Amino acid sequence: MEAQRHANIMNIVTEFFVVTFKIIWSFVLAGGKWFIRPREKSVEGQVCVITGAGSGLGRFFALEFARRRAILVLWDINRQANEETAEIVREIYREMNPSAGSSDSVQELPLFQLKVYTYFCDVSKRESVYSTAEKVRKEVGNIDLLINNAGVVSGRHLLECPDELIERTMMVNCHSHFWTTKAFLPKMLERNHGHIVTVASSLGLFTTAGVEDYCASKFGAIGFHESLSHELKAADKDGIKMTLVCPFLVDTGMFKGCKIRKEMAPLFPPLKPEYCVKQAMRAILTDQAMICTPRIMYMVTFMKTILPFDAIVCMYRFIGADKCMYPFLAQRKESTNNNESKTVI
C-alpha cells in the first residue's frame, strides 16, 4: 500500500515537471514567432463560408480568401451587397486566370473550378441558418473554413434600447455562432479537418459605457469560442483549428463618432479594415489561436485582469475611454429622430 502511494506521488511529480516543461516550451515557441514568421498554409480549393460578407470586414475577408484561390460561400441578409462582394471576387478570379476568357489560348486552370456562391441568410434565426447550411452542403459540398463575422450594434443606451434590438444584437453577434457551428462542425469532426474563425472585438475582452448589449454579445462569442476550443482539444481533434479575432474599433462606420481624449487619439486610432483583415488572415493561415489588433490590446486586457476596478476607472477617465461611445450614441439618436420625423411628414 505504501509502495503504491509512493509510486503515485512520483507519477504526479514527474507529470508536473513534464507539464512545466511544455508550458515553458510554449512560451519559447510563441516568442520565436516574433523573429521567425511561421509558414502560411494553403487554402487553395478549400470551401470557405463567410457570414456578413456583404460589407465591412466580411467583404475584405472574401477578397483575401479569393486571392488565395479559395472557393467562397458568402452569406448576408443584404442580397444586393452580397452580390456586389461576389462580383468583386469574380473579378479577382478573372485577374488570376486571364486566359479563361480566350478560347485560342491554353488555359492554365487549377484542378478545381474557382467559384463564388451567394446565399441570403438571416443568421439571427436558427431556421434560416440550418436551411441555408443544408443548401450549401447540397450545392457546394463540405466546407473547410467557417468565418463567423456577421455583427450588428444597436447604438442605444440600455434604458432607451427596445428589447427587440437587444435580442437582435445577442442573436446576430453571439447566438448565430452556435447555429453555424452546429450546422457545419459534425462533418469537420468526421474528417478531423476544418477551421473556425470567430470575429469578436476588443469590447469582448474589456468594456466601456453605453454599449452593454454589444459588449455582452462579444463576451458571449468569446466564451463560446474558448469553450469549443477546449472541447476540440479534449476530443483530440487536432485537425480542426480555431482562431479568435479581437480587433480594436475598425473604421467601417459601425461606431462612427466614437472619440477618446484627443491627446490619446494617436495612440488608439481606428483600424483600417484592410489592415485588420490582413492581420487576421496572417493569424488564420498560421493557425494562431488568437489575435488582438493592435498589439497594445494585449496589454490593456492584461491590465484589466490585475488592476482593481477603481484603478481601471481612473485609467479610462485619463484616456477618455469612459464616455468614448457617447458621441456615437448621440449621432445614432439624432439619425433615428430625423428618420422618424421624415416618416411622420
Side-chain angles (χ1 to χ4, degrees), residues 20-86:
T20 302
F21 173 78
K22 288 182 177 180
I23 292 172
I24 295 172
W25 184 241
S26 69
F27 274 97
V28 172
L29 291 177
K33 291 177 182 179
W34 284 70
F35 304 99
I36 304 174
R37 183 175 174 178
R39 183 178 180 181
E40 295 184 353
K41 65 183 180 182
S42 172
V43 293
E44 185 173 349
Q46 296 192 18
V47 179
C48 175
V49 171
I50 303 174
T51 66
S55 61
L57 297 184
R59 175 171 290 182
F60 286 103
F61 272 116
L63 304 188
E64 287 296 327
F65 277 107
R67 293 184 182 106
R68 290 165 174 80
R69 297 179 175 268
I71 297 173
L72 291 172
V73 180
L74 309 180
W75 289 16
D76 204 283
I77 198 171
N78 186 326
R79 286 188 173 91
Q80 182 179 346
N82 208 26
E83 285 298 332
E84 289 173 359
T85 300

Side-chain angles (χ1 to χ4, degrees), residues 32-221:
K33 291 177 182 179
W34 284 70
F35 304 99
I36 304 174
R37 183 175 174 178
R39 183 178 180 181
E40 295 184 353
K41 65 183 180 182
S42 172
V43 293
E44 185 173 349
Q46 296 192 18
V47 179
C48 175
V49 171
I50 303 174
T51 66
S55 61
L57 297 184
R59 175 171 290 182
F60 286 103
F61 272 116
L63 304 188
E64 287 296 327
F65 277 107
R67 293 184 182 106
R68 290 165 174 80
R69 297 179 175 268
I71 297 173
L72 291 172
V73 180
L74 309 180
W75 289 16
D76 204 283
I77 198 171
N78 186 326
R79 286 188 173 91
Q80 182 179 346
N82 208 26
E83 285 298 332
E84 289 173 359
T85 300
E87 188 53 42
I88 299 172
V89 168
R90 293 186 187 104
E91 183 60 33
I92 291 174
Y93 287 160
R94 286 191 287 268
E95 289 175 358
M96 291 191 299
N97 190 36
S99 62
S102 172
S103 57
D104 298 329
S105 59
V106 179
Q107 296 185 12
E108 296 180 357
L109 289 171
L111 296 177
F112 56 88
Q113 183 67 42
L114 290 174
K115 290 184 180 180
V116 54
Y117 301 82
T118 59
Y119 294 88
F120 168 85
C121 183
D122 184 351
V123 295
S124 71
K125 299 177 180 178
R126 61 179 180 272
E127 297 84 1
S128 180
V129 171
Y130 293 151
S131 62
T132 307
E134 186 60 31
K135 289 179 185 177
V136 171
R137 279 190 289 270
K138 290 179 179 178
E139 298 173 9
V140 185
N142 294 326
I143 77 160
D144 303 287
L145 298 109
L146 172 61
I147 316 298
N148 281 318
N149 165 77
V152 296
V153 61
S154 66
R156 307 278 189 93
H157 285 281
L158 176 63
L159 299 183
E160 298 175 358
C161 188
D163 293 347
E164 295 77 14
L165 285 183
I166 294 174
E167 289 175 343
R168 178 158 182 77
T169 300
M170 295 301 298
M171 289 291 185
V172 174
N173 296 359
C174 181
H175 295 182
S176 66
H177 295 217
F178 288 77
W179 317 144
T180 56
T181 301
K182 288 185 70 177
F184 293 117
L185 183 59
K187 286 296 182 182
M188 289 185 179
L189 290 171
E190 283 182 20
R191 301 156 62 207
N192 191 24
H193 170 77
H195 199 138
I196 299 174
V197 178
T198 299
V199 181
S201 169
S202 60
L203 290 177
L205 299 171
F206 53 86
T207 63
T208 189
V211 281
E212 290 84 355
D213 55 341
Y214 185 82
C215 290
S217 68
K218 292 301 184 178
F219 266 81

Side-chain angles (χ1 to χ4, degrees), residues 17 228 310:
F17 280 109
L228 180 59
D310 288 343

